[in-house]
């Protein structure tokens, strides 16, 4: 494969031909801010926050790093005075029409706009002018959609079209009135939206927030534990967001099977974990009613009953249903228990249902 | 699946049969949609107009339960027009001559009469499938939940072998499995006739190996009972006690009314679950289990990928992980199961299961592995049957069409089909308790075609009693032309609509799968 060698902030780096400046910078560990860029989506270079100063063939100019191909002999400056000035202006323009409600915003602490405003010391809007006053869309149990916070990066649009493959949302109107909209500007709940929440997962600001997660924990309070979704057989990776010993939400990570995508059940179907109906103690039925019991009492009762029936009627009078919901290790142990301890092959599960 | 999920997007042709992929496997459906965007042809065989069907180049709304005839019809055309992969058939398969002979009866004209699919569509589809460079077949319970379920799957396999569409990337025979670890539960031998990795209980050698490892004198030698047979055995009084872990047969099994009656006849029923399910309510003893978020272990997905499940929180109250409960119970019955962790259990699985031989929790921490993974250095197997089939040559099985056991008649004039909805899952035990999904999709409907609605004088939102020979439920009517005339459809997610009280427990003779997709019903307006 042919390669390209360029210089970024005085350091040489060699990358495969066709790489962008952003890719080359990543290889060096040099940070370049991005908003509209997402590694799994088409590059559109619309936000321009990733501009870098490139000197090439005697010419010097600002180019978007996410879209510009690296060339042999390029010299790139990622934080030159011109770059910083340009980024600050972009941030001032964005903040001129962005609610400054970070104190109560659920995305606080995990917001690119906030990060870059801090990094480039942009305390607020450098410009004053008209502001949007869209109604916050809150009529579904999954996603809060606040278009006042939208920076029009279009990540959600591309996610819905390119990964989810549904194309439920797109840019509508022109100029200052441009907004991300469903067909006929209906709420998501009245559109073809299937609430996978993949748009919210890639929103770099607080315009699209997972309702449960963002209202129950600050972003820095959660510990993320990567595991596998408990629903269908696809095996998507999910991150359980845990605060004070409680699962308060699910986020997607770059799963081996699912990449950044999840479905509505995987992303929003976690509430059963802490549901008050959860069984928390062994129960023994006495006179037709369940009575709480200790593990010792319960296990000895079960052992005694199963042993008794096995002795009186033979092992094949016993039957076990295992579970497609349990782990491999548990299914293994249960069939071992059935065969080695109970002494029967009467074990099955719901593979046929 | 013979192949992997991410290969679907690279197929040139996708034949999706009996799978409502966008609702039941939404993330796998993303791969199908991607393939279509990249120019692949998609054929959907399904009586209903699913979202997937809307994306398809060909949507074959066949008569329910006639899949086998249709698949044989495709093979018939492919052979008659000499479009089959002669090299693959000659070197990789057996019994082609007999296949060719019996499939010759499935002429497109005959198949049109059986399936309702016009002969010219059968010709076109057959040519497209045979002509594709890489063609993948996807299927789900729409194909298998029939008394002819095994024949249907054989017909799929025959078609793939006929065209050499197996054993290479972006092709294959790909059942999309419905539950997080249904593949793993099968792999682990939670089945009446096999131990782990499908090692037969009837083999003396296999039993001797496991008996040695488990330190017992003997292991039972004859195959045990399947779910349906257990319930029948309970009715007859042969089964006296059951231990049910993480299942809700009172709602999920066919002819569920009889299942409930059977469980009530038991001398002793233990249910281990995370909720007091409809089944658990019948138990003598209920054992509280930890949810997936509260334990370590592994799940194996539909593409045979073994992945690590990690503990995020402590079990609720005094609940315990299922593996710990099983160890306690074994101990109380005089058999020591002493494991420090699920990782140790996996080591034992690997030592007894060739296809899991190279799998350990330590390796899975670095990334998942697809079985077969026979040793520690093996990278796993994304595509099965590359050089040869497990049995050597791929066998063309005789797969004759048999109509569903119970079809509409004068007394029960409509066909009831059941399935899943996007927002819910199985018997609703989890999804009806999320604080979100059940708010958005709070109740169930009976989907009815407008023609039938006029015939039975139904209006949107009216309530009807749906009655089969086995039971009845009440449902709200939703009129939609996504359902063909003569069919009604609903899900089995809602306890207040125990639709499986109506379904037909008639089984496929080999797989013992009940015919959940077809039974006949009548409606009464309430």
């Amino acid at each position: 494969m042919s390669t390209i060698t360029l210089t970024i902030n005085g350091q040489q780096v060699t990358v495969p031909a066709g790489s962008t400046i952003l890719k080359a910078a990543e290889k060096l560990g040099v940070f370049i801010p991005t908003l509209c860029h997402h590694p799994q989506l088409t590059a559109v270079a619309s936000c321009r926050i990733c501009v870098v100063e490139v000197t090439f063939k005697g010419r010097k100019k600002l180019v978007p790093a996410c879209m510009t191909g690296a060339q042999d002999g390029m010299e790139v400056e990622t934080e030159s005075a011109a770059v910083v000035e340009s980024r600050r202006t972009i941030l001032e323009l964005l903040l001129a029409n962005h609610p400054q409600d970070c104190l109560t915003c659920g995305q606080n602490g995990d917001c690119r706009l906030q990060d870059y405003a801090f990094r480039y010391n942009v305390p607020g809007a450098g410009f004053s002018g008209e502001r949007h006053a869209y109604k916050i869309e809150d009529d579904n149990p999954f996603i809060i959609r606040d278009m006042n916070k939208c920076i029009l990066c279009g990540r959600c649009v591309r996610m819905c079209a390119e990964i989810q493959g549904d194309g439920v949302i797109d840019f509508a109107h022109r100029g200052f009135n441009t907004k991300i909209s469903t067909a006929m500007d209906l709420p998501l709940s009245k559109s073809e939206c299937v609430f996978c929440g993949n748009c919210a997962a890639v929103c770099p600001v607080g315009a699209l927030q997972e309702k449960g997660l963002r209202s129950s924990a600050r972003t820095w309070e959660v510990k993320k534990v990567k595991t596998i979704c408990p629903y269908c057989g696809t095996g998507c990776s999910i991150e359980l967001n845990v605060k004070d010993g409680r699962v308060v939400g699910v986020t997607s990570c770059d799963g081996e099977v699912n990449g950044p995508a999840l479905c509505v059940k995987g992303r929003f179907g976690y509430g059963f974990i802490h549901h008050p109906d959860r069984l928390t103690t062994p129960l023994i039925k006495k006179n037709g009613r369940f009575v709480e019991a200790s593990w010792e009492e319960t296990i000895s009762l079960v052992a005694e009953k199963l042993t008794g029936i096995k002795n009186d009627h033979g092992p094949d009078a016993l039957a076990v249903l295992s579970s497609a919901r349990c782990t491999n290790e548990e299914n293994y142990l249960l069939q071992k228990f059935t065969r080695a301890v109970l002494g029967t092959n009467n074990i099955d599960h719901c593979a046929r249902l | 699946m013979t192949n992997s999920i991410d290969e679907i997007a690279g197929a040139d042709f996708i034949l999706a049969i009996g799978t409502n992929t966008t609702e039941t496997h939404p993330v796998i459906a993303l791969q199908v949609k991607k393939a279509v965007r990249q120019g692949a042809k998609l054929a959907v065989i399904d009586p209903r107009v699913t979202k997937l069907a809307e994306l398809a180049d060909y949507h074959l709304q066949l008569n329910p339960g006639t899949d086998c005839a249709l698949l044989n019809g495709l093979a018939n055309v492919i052979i008659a027009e000499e479009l089959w992969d002669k090299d693959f058939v000659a070197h990789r398969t057996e019994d082609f001559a007999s296949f060719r002979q019996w499939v010759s009866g499935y002429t497109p004209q005959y198949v049109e009469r059986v399936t309702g699919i016009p002969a010219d569509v059968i010709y076109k589809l057959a040519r497209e499938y045979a002509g594709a460079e890489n063609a993948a077949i996807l299927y789900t319970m729409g194909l298998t939940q029939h008394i002819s379920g095994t024949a249907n799957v054989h017909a799929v396999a025959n078609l793939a072998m006929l065209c050499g569409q197996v054993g290479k990337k972006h092709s294959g025979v790909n059942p999309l499995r419905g539950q997080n670890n249904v593949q793993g539960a099968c792999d682990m031998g939670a089945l009446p006739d096999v131990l782990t990795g499908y090692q037969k209980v009837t083999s003396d050698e296999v039993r001797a190996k496991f008996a040695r490892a488990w330190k017992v004198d003997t292991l039972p030698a004859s195959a045990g009972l399947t779910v349906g047979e257990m319930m029948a055995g309970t009715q007859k009084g042969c089964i006296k006690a059951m231990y049910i872990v993480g299942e809700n047969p009172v709602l999920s099994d066919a002819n569920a009314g009889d299942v409930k009656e059977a469980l009530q006849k038991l001398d002793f029923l233990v249910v281990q679950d995370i909720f007091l399910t409809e089944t658990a309510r019948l138990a003598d003893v209920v054992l509280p289990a930890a949810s997936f978020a509260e334990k370590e272990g592994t799940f194996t997905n539909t593409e045979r990928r073994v992945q690590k499940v990690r503990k995020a929180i402590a079990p609720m109250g005094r609940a315990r992980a299922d593996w710990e409960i099983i160890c306690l119970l074994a101990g109380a019955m005089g058999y020591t199961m002493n494991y420090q962790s699920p990782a140790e259990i996996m080591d034992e699985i690997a030592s007894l299961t060739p296809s899991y031989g190279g799998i350990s929790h330590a390796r899975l921490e670095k990334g998942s592995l697809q079985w077969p993974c026979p040793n520690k250095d093996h990278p796993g197997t994304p595509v099965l049957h590359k050089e040869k089939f497990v049995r050597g040559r791929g066998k063309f099985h005789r797969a004759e069409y048999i109509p569903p056991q119970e079809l509409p008649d004068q007394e029960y004039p409509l066909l009831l089909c059941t399935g899943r909805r996007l927002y819910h899952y199985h018997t609703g035990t989890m999804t009806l308790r999320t604080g979100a999904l059940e708010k958005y999709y709070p109740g169930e409907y009976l989907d009815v075609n407008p023609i039938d609605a006029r015939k039975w004088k139904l209006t949107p939102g009216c309530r009807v009693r749906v009655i089969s020979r086995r039971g009845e439920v009440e449902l709200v009517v939703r009129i939609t032309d996504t359902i063909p005339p003569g069919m009604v459809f609903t899900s089995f997610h809602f306890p207040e609509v125990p639709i499986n009280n109506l379904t037909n427990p008639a089984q496929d003779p080999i797989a013992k799968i009940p015919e959940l997709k077809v039974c006949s019903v009548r409606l009464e307006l309430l």
Side-chain angles (χ1 to χ4, degrees), chain B residues 362-378:
Chain B
R363 270 191 88 181
L364 294 176
E365 280 300 334
K366 291 179 218 125
S368 62
L369 290 163
Q370 283 173 282
W371 67 255
C373 176
N375 60 59
K376 285 193 183 100
D377 304 313
H378 195 284

mmCIF file with all atom_site columns, all heavy atoms in Angstrom, chain B residues 362-378:
data_model
loop_
_atom_site.group_PDB
_atom_site.id
_atom_site.type_symbol
_atom_site.label_atom_id
_atom_site.label_alt_id
_atom_site.label_comp_id
_atom_site.label_asym_id
_atom_site.label_entity_id
_atom_site.label_seq_id
_atom_site.pdbx_PDB_ins_code
_atom_site.Cartn_x
_atom_site.Cartn_y
_atom_site.Cartn_z
_atom_site.occupancy
_atom_site.B_iso_or_equiv
_atom_site.pdbx_formal_charge
_atom_site.auth_seq_id
_atom_site.auth_comp_id
_atom_site.auth_asym_id
_atom_site.auth_atom_id
_atom_site.pdbx_PDB_model_num
ATOM 1   N N   . ALA B 1 362 ? -10.579 -15.379 29.992 1.00 0.00 ? 362 ALA B N   1
ATOM 2   C CA  . ALA B 1 362 ? -9.400  -14.523 29.803 1.00 0.00 ? 362 ALA B CA  1
ATOM 3   C C   . ALA B 1 362 ? -9.291  -14.107 28.334 1.00 0.00 ? 362 ALA B C   1
ATOM 4   O O   . ALA B 1 362 ? -9.040  -12.941 28.022 1.00 0.00 ? 362 ALA B O   1
ATOM 5   C CB  . ALA B 1 362 ? -8.143  -15.262 30.248 1.00 0.00 ? 362 ALA B CB  1
ATOM 6   N N   . ARG B 1 363 ? -9.520  -15.055 27.423 1.00 0.00 ? 363 ARG B N   1
ATOM 7   C CA  . ARG B 1 363 ? -9.463  -14.709 25.991 1.00 0.00 ? 363 ARG B CA  1
ATOM 8   C C   . ARG B 1 363 ? -10.604 -13.778 25.602 1.00 0.00 ? 363 ARG B C   1
ATOM 9   O O   . ARG B 1 363 ? -10.418 -12.848 24.811 1.00 0.00 ? 363 ARG B O   1
ATOM 10  C CB  . ARG B 1 363 ? -9.568  -15.984 25.136 1.00 0.00 ? 363 ARG B CB  1
ATOM 11  C CG  . ARG B 1 363 ? -8.231  -16.610 24.833 1.00 0.00 ? 363 ARG B CG  1
ATOM 12  C CD  . ARG B 1 363 ? -8.384  -17.695 23.775 1.00 0.00 ? 363 ARG B CD  1
ATOM 13  N NE  . ARG B 1 363 ? -8.277  -17.174 22.416 1.00 0.00 ? 363 ARG B NE  1
ATOM 14  C CZ  . ARG B 1 363 ? -8.399  -17.934 21.331 1.00 0.00 ? 363 ARG B CZ  1
ATOM 15  N NH1 . ARG B 1 363 ? -8.655  -19.215 21.443 1.00 0.00 ? 363 ARG B NH1 1
ATOM 16  N NH2 . ARG B 1 363 ? -8.274  -17.403 20.130 1.00 0.00 ? 363 ARG B NH2 1
ATOM 17  N N   . LEU B 1 364 ? -11.782 -14.041 26.159 1.00 0.00 ? 364 LEU B N   1
ATOM 18  C CA  . LEU B 1 364 ? -12.953 -13.225 25.781 1.00 0.00 ? 364 LEU B CA  1
ATOM 19  C C   . LEU B 1 364 ? -12.815 -11.778 26.247 1.00 0.00 ? 364 LEU B C   1
ATOM 20  O O   . LEU B 1 364 ? -13.427 -10.877 25.678 1.00 0.00 ? 364 LEU B O   1
ATOM 21  C CB  . LEU B 1 364 ? -14.237 -13.841 26.340 1.00 0.00 ? 364 LEU B CB  1
ATOM 22  C CG  . LEU B 1 364 ? -14.615 -15.209 25.760 1.00 0.00 ? 364 LEU B CG  1
ATOM 23  C CD1 . LEU B 1 364 ? -15.844 -15.768 26.469 1.00 0.00 ? 364 LEU B CD1 1
ATOM 24  C CD2 . LEU B 1 364 ? -14.869 -15.137 24.257 1.00 0.00 ? 364 LEU B CD2 1
ATOM 25  N N   . GLU B 1 365 ? -12.017 -11.560 27.294 1.00 0.00 ? 365 GLU B N   1
ATOM 26  C CA  . GLU B 1 365 ? -11.780 -10.180 27.738 1.00 0.00 ? 365 GLU B CA  1
ATOM 27  C C   . GLU B 1 365 ? -11.143 -9.367  26.618 1.00 0.00 ? 365 GLU B C   1
ATOM 28  O O   . GLU B 1 365 ? -11.321 -8.163  26.531 1.00 0.00 ? 365 GLU B O   1
ATOM 29  C CB  . GLU B 1 365 ? -10.889 -10.140 28.985 1.00 0.00 ? 365 GLU B CB  1
ATOM 30  C CG  . GLU B 1 365 ? -11.610 -10.440 30.294 1.00 0.00 ? 365 GLU B CG  1
ATOM 31  C CD  . GLU B 1 365 ? -12.756 -9.463  30.600 1.00 0.00 ? 365 GLU B CD  1
ATOM 32  O OE1 . GLU B 1 365 ? -12.731 -8.318  30.123 1.00 0.00 ? 365 GLU B OE1 1
ATOM 33  O OE2 . GLU B 1 365 ? -13.699 -9.881  31.313 1.00 0.00 ? 365 GLU B OE2 1
ATOM 34  N N   . LYS B 1 366 ? -10.395 -10.040 25.756 1.00 0.00 ? 366 LYS B N   1
ATOM 35  C CA  . LYS B 1 366 ? -9.711  -9.321  24.667 1.00 0.00 ? 366 LYS B CA  1
ATOM 36  C C   . LYS B 1 366 ? -10.602 -9.193  23.434 1.00 0.00 ? 366 LYS B C   1
ATOM 37  O O   . LYS B 1 366 ? -10.298 -8.446  22.509 1.00 0.00 ? 366 LYS B O   1
ATOM 38  C CB  . LYS B 1 366 ? -8.420  -10.054 24.298 1.00 0.00 ? 366 LYS B CB  1
ATOM 39  C CG  . LYS B 1 366 ? -7.368  -9.980  25.397 1.00 0.00 ? 366 LYS B CG  1
ATOM 40  C CD  . LYS B 1 366 ? -6.104  -10.732 24.998 1.00 0.00 ? 366 LYS B CD  1
ATOM 41  C CE  . LYS B 1 366 ? -5.496  -11.456 26.173 1.00 0.00 ? 366 LYS B CE  1
ATOM 42  N NZ  . LYS B 1 366 ? -5.284  -12.877 25.961 1.00 0.00 ? 366 LYS B NZ  1
ATOM 43  N N   . GLY B 1 367 ? -11.677 -9.960  23.384 1.00 0.00 ? 367 GLY B N   1
ATOM 44  C CA  . GLY B 1 367 ? -12.561 -9.908  22.215 1.00 0.00 ? 367 GLY B CA  1
ATOM 45  C C   . GLY B 1 367 ? -13.329 -11.207 22.109 1.00 0.00 ? 367 GLY B C   1
ATOM 46  O O   . GLY B 1 367 ? -12.921 -12.224 22.661 1.00 0.00 ? 367 GLY B O   1
ATOM 47  N N   . SER B 1 368 ? -14.445 -11.154 21.374 1.00 0.00 ? 368 SER B N   1
ATOM 48  C CA  . SER B 1 368 ? -15.309 -12.324 21.299 1.00 0.00 ? 368 SER B CA  1
ATOM 49  C C   . SER B 1 368 ? -14.695 -13.393 20.391 1.00 0.00 ? 368 SER B C   1
ATOM 50  O O   . SER B 1 368 ? -13.750 -13.125 19.650 1.00 0.00 ? 368 SER B O   1
ATOM 51  C CB  . SER B 1 368 ? -16.659 -11.899 20.749 1.00 0.00 ? 368 SER B CB  1
ATOM 52  O OG  . SER B 1 368 ? -16.488 -11.394 19.444 1.00 0.00 ? 368 SER B OG  1
ATOM 53  N N   . LEU B 1 369 ? -15.270 -14.600 20.451 1.00 0.00 ? 369 LEU B N   1
ATOM 54  C CA  . LEU B 1 369 ? -14.808 -15.705 19.608 1.00 0.00 ? 369 LEU B CA  1
ATOM 55  C C   . LEU B 1 369 ? -16.016 -16.437 19.056 1.00 0.00 ? 369 LEU B C   1
ATOM 56  O O   . LEU B 1 369 ? -16.975 -16.689 19.783 1.00 0.00 ? 369 LEU B O   1
ATOM 57  C CB  . LEU B 1 369 ? -13.961 -16.688 20.433 1.00 0.00 ? 369 LEU B CB  1
ATOM 58  C CG  . LEU B 1 369 ? -12.579 -16.202 20.880 1.00 0.00 ? 369 LEU B CG  1
ATOM 59  C CD1 . LEU B 1 369 ? -12.048 -17.088 22.001 1.00 0.00 ? 369 LEU B CD1 1
ATOM 60  C CD2 . LEU B 1 369 ? -11.604 -16.189 19.704 1.00 0.00 ? 369 LEU B CD2 1
ATOM 61  N N   . GLN B 1 370 ? -15.951 -16.789 17.772 1.00 0.00 ? 370 GLN B N   1
ATOM 62  C CA  . GLN B 1 370 ? -17.045 -17.553 17.162 1.00 0.00 ? 370 GLN B CA  1
ATOM 63  C C   . GLN B 1 370 ? -16.650 -19.027 17.107 1.00 0.00 ? 370 GLN B C   1
ATOM 64  O O   . GLN B 1 370 ? -15.578 -19.371 16.606 1.00 0.00 ? 370 GLN B O   1
ATOM 65  C CB  . GLN B 1 370 ? -17.310 -17.040 15.744 1.00 0.00 ? 370 GLN B CB  1
ATOM 66  C CG  . GLN B 1 370 ? -18.095 -15.731 15.713 1.00 0.00 ? 370 GLN B CG  1
ATOM 67  C CD  . GLN B 1 370 ? -18.202 -15.156 14.323 1.00 0.00 ? 370 GLN B CD  1
ATOM 68  O OE1 . GLN B 1 370 ? -17.256 -14.557 13.825 1.00 0.00 ? 370 GLN B OE1 1
ATOM 69  N NE2 . GLN B 1 370 ? -19.340 -15.322 13.685 1.00 0.00 ? 370 GLN B NE2 1
ATOM 70  N N   . TRP B 1 371 ? -17.516 -19.900 17.664 1.00 0.00 ? 371 TRP B N   1
ATOM 71  C CA  . TRP B 1 371 ? -17.191 -21.327 17.594 1.00 0.00 ? 371 TRP B CA  1
ATOM 72  C C   . TRP B 1 371 ? -17.462 -21.855 16.193 1.00 0.00 ? 371 TRP B C   1
ATOM 73  O O   . TRP B 1 371 ? -18.272 -21.247 15.512 1.00 0.00 ? 371 TRP B O   1
ATOM 74  C CB  . TRP B 1 371 ? -17.903 -22.117 18.693 1.00 0.00 ? 371 TRP B CB  1
ATOM 75  C CG  . TRP B 1 371 ? -19.401 -22.250 18.666 1.00 0.00 ? 371 TRP B CG  1
ATOM 76  C CD1 . TRP B 1 371 ? -20.305 -21.606 19.461 1.00 0.00 ? 371 TRP B CD1 1
ATOM 77  C CD2 . TRP B 1 371 ? -20.195 -23.125 17.826 1.00 0.00 ? 371 TRP B CD2 1
ATOM 78  N NE1 . TRP B 1 371 ? -21.588 -21.993 19.167 1.00 0.00 ? 371 TRP B NE1 1
ATOM 79  C CE2 . TRP B 1 371 ? -21.549 -22.935 18.176 1.00 0.00 ? 371 TRP B CE2 1
ATOM 80  C CE3 . TRP B 1 371 ? -19.885 -24.047 16.831 1.00 0.00 ? 371 TRP B CE3 1
ATOM 81  C CZ2 . TRP B 1 371 ? -22.598 -23.625 17.555 1.00 0.00 ? 371 TRP B CZ2 1
ATOM 82  C CZ3 . TRP B 1 371 ? -20.939 -24.730 16.201 1.00 0.00 ? 371 TRP B CZ3 1
ATOM 83  C CH2 . TRP B 1 371 ? -22.274 -24.514 16.566 1.00 0.00 ? 371 TRP B CH2 1
ATOM 84  N N   . PRO B 1 372 ? -16.863 -22.941 15.753 1.00 0.00 ? 372 PRO B N   1
ATOM 85  C CA  . PRO B 1 372 ? -15.878 -23.739 16.479 1.00 0.00 ? 372 PRO B CA  1
ATOM 86  C C   . PRO B 1 372 ? -14.559 -22.998 16.710 1.00 0.00 ? 372 PRO B C   1
ATOM 87  O O   . PRO B 1 372 ? -14.017 -22.378 15.800 1.00 0.00 ? 372 PRO B O   1
ATOM 88  C CB  . PRO B 1 372 ? -15.643 -24.943 15.561 1.00 0.00 ? 372 PRO B CB  1
ATOM 89  C CG  . PRO B 1 372 ? -16.462 -24.763 14.341 1.00 0.00 ? 372 PRO B CG  1
ATOM 90  C CD  . PRO B 1 372 ? -17.196 -23.499 14.437 1.00 0.00 ? 372 PRO B CD  1
ATOM 91  N N   . CYS B 1 373 ? -14.093 -23.143 17.956 1.00 0.00 ? 373 CYS B N   1
ATOM 92  C CA  . CYS B 1 373 ? -12.805 -22.577 18.359 1.00 0.00 ? 373 CYS B CA  1
ATOM 93  C C   . CYS B 1 373 ? -12.120 -23.677 19.173 1.00 0.00 ? 373 CYS B C   1
ATOM 94  O O   . CYS B 1 373 ? -12.191 -23.689 20.392 1.00 0.00 ? 373 CYS B O   1
ATOM 95  C CB  . CYS B 1 373 ? -13.032 -21.315 19.183 1.00 0.00 ? 373 CYS B CB  1
ATOM 96  S SG  . CYS B 1 373 ? -11.513 -20.604 19.841 1.00 0.00 ? 373 CYS B SG  1
ATOM 97  N N   . PRO B 1 374 ? -11.510 -24.648 18.480 1.00 0.00 ? 374 PRO B N   1
ATOM 98  C CA  . PRO B 1 374 ? -11.086 -25.878 19.156 1.00 0.00 ? 374 PRO B CA  1
ATOM 99  C C   . PRO B 1 374 ? -9.881  -25.756 20.087 1.00 0.00 ? 374 PRO B C   1
ATOM 100 O O   . PRO B 1 374 ? -9.706  -26.622 20.932 1.00 0.00 ? 374 PRO B O   1
ATOM 101 C CB  . PRO B 1 374 ? -10.790 -26.834 17.991 1.00 0.00 ? 374 PRO B CB  1
ATOM 102 C CG  . PRO B 1 374 ? -10.573 -25.966 16.805 1.00 0.00 ? 374 PRO B CG  1
ATOM 103 C CD  . PRO B 1 374 ? -11.359 -24.719 17.018 1.00 0.00 ? 374 PRO B CD  1
ATOM 104 N N   . ASN B 1 375 ? -9.041  -24.754 19.908 1.00 0.00 ? 375 ASN B N   1
ATOM 105 C CA  . ASN B 1 375 ? -7.892  -24.670 20.818 1.00 0.00 ? 375 ASN B CA  1
ATOM 106 C C   . ASN B 1 375 ? -7.499  -23.227 21.095 1.00 0.00 ? 375 ASN B C   1
ATOM 107 O O   . ASN B 1 375 ? -8.002  -22.303 20.457 1.00 0.00 ? 375 ASN B O   1
ATOM 108 C CB  . ASN B 1 375 ? -6.700  -25.461 20.249 1.00 0.00 ? 375 ASN B CB  1
ATOM 109 C CG  . ASN B 1 375 ? -6.270  -24.908 18.901 1.00 0.00 ? 375 ASN B CG  1
ATOM 110 O OD1 . ASN B 1 375 ? -5.918  -23.734 18.785 1.00 0.00 ? 375 ASN B OD1 1
ATOM 111 N ND2 . ASN B 1 375 ? -6.327  -25.736 17.863 1.00 0.00 ? 375 ASN B ND2 1
ATOM 112 N N   . LYS B 1 376 ? -6.584  -23.065 22.038 1.00 0.00 ? 376 LYS B N   1
ATOM 113 C CA  . LYS B 1 376 ? -6.234  -21.730 22.555 1.00 0.00 ? 376 LYS B CA  1
ATOM 114 C C   . LYS B 1 376 ? -5.684  -20.784 21.494 1.00 0.00 ? 376 LYS B C   1
ATOM 115 O O   . LYS B 1 376 ? -5.709  -19.575 21.659 1.00 0.00 ? 376 LYS B O   1
ATOM 116 C CB  . LYS B 1 376 ? -5.204  -21.872 23.673 1.00 0.00 ? 376 LYS B CB  1
ATOM 117 C CG  . LYS B 1 376 ? -5.802  -22.366 24.966 1.00 0.00 ? 376 LYS B CG  1
ATOM 118 C CD  . LYS B 1 376 ? -4.819  -22.188 26.122 1.00 0.00 ? 376 LYS B CD  1
ATOM 119 C CE  . LYS B 1 376 ? -5.397  -22.746 27.399 1.00 0.00 ? 376 LYS B CE  1
ATOM 120 N NZ  . LYS B 1 376 ? -4.885  -24.075 27.742 1.00 0.00 ? 376 LYS B NZ  1
ATOM 121 N N   . ASP B 1 377 ? -5.130  -21.338 20.411 1.00 0.00 ? 377 ASP B N   1
ATOM 122 C CA  . ASP B 1 377 ? -4.571  -20.476 19.375 1.00 0.00 ? 377 ASP B CA  1
ATOM 123 C C   . ASP B 1 377 ? -5.530  -20.261 18.208 1.00 0.00 ? 377 ASP B C   1
ATOM 124 O O   . ASP B 1 377 ? -5.230  -19.520 17.278 1.00 0.00 ? 377 ASP B O   1
ATOM 125 C CB  . ASP B 1 377 ? -3.269  -21.097 18.831 1.00 0.00 ? 377 ASP B CB  1
ATOM 126 C CG  . ASP B 1 377 ? -2.287  -21.351 19.953 1.00 0.00 ? 377 ASP B CG  1
ATOM 127 O OD1 . ASP B 1 377 ? -2.103  -20.436 20.768 1.00 0.00 ? 377 ASP B OD1 1
ATOM 128 O OD2 . ASP B 1 377 ? -1.747  -22.472 20.032 1.00 0.00 ? 377 ASP B OD2 1
ATOM 129 N N   . HIS B 1 378 ? -6.682  -20.947 18.246 1.00 0.00 ? 378 HIS B N   1
ATOM 130 C CA  . HIS B 1 378 ? -7.616  -20.864 17.126 1.00 0.00 ? 378 HIS B CA  1
ATOM 131 C C   . HIS B 1 378 ? -8.349  -19.515 17.157 1.00 0.00 ? 378 HIS B C   1
ATOM 132 O O   . HIS B 1 378 ? -8.846  -19.106 18.197 1.00 0.00 ? 378 HIS B O   1
ATOM 133 C CB  . HIS B 1 378 ? -8.617  -22.029 17.214 1.00 0.00 ? 378 HIS B CB  1
ATOM 134 C CG  . HIS B 1 378 ? -9.387  -22.251 15.964 1.00 0.00 ? 378 HIS B CG  1
ATOM 135 N ND1 . HIS B 1 378 ? -10.426 -21.433 15.583 1.00 0.00 ? 378 HIS B ND1 1
ATOM 136 C CD2 . HIS B 1 378 ? -9.275  -23.192 14.991 1.00 0.00 ? 378 HIS B CD2 1
ATOM 137 C CE1 . HIS B 1 378 ? -10.916 -21.876 14.429 1.00 0.00 ? 378 HIS B CE1 1
ATOM 138 N NE2 . HIS B 1 378 ? -10.238 -22.937 14.045 1.00 0.00 ? 378 HIS B NE2 1
#
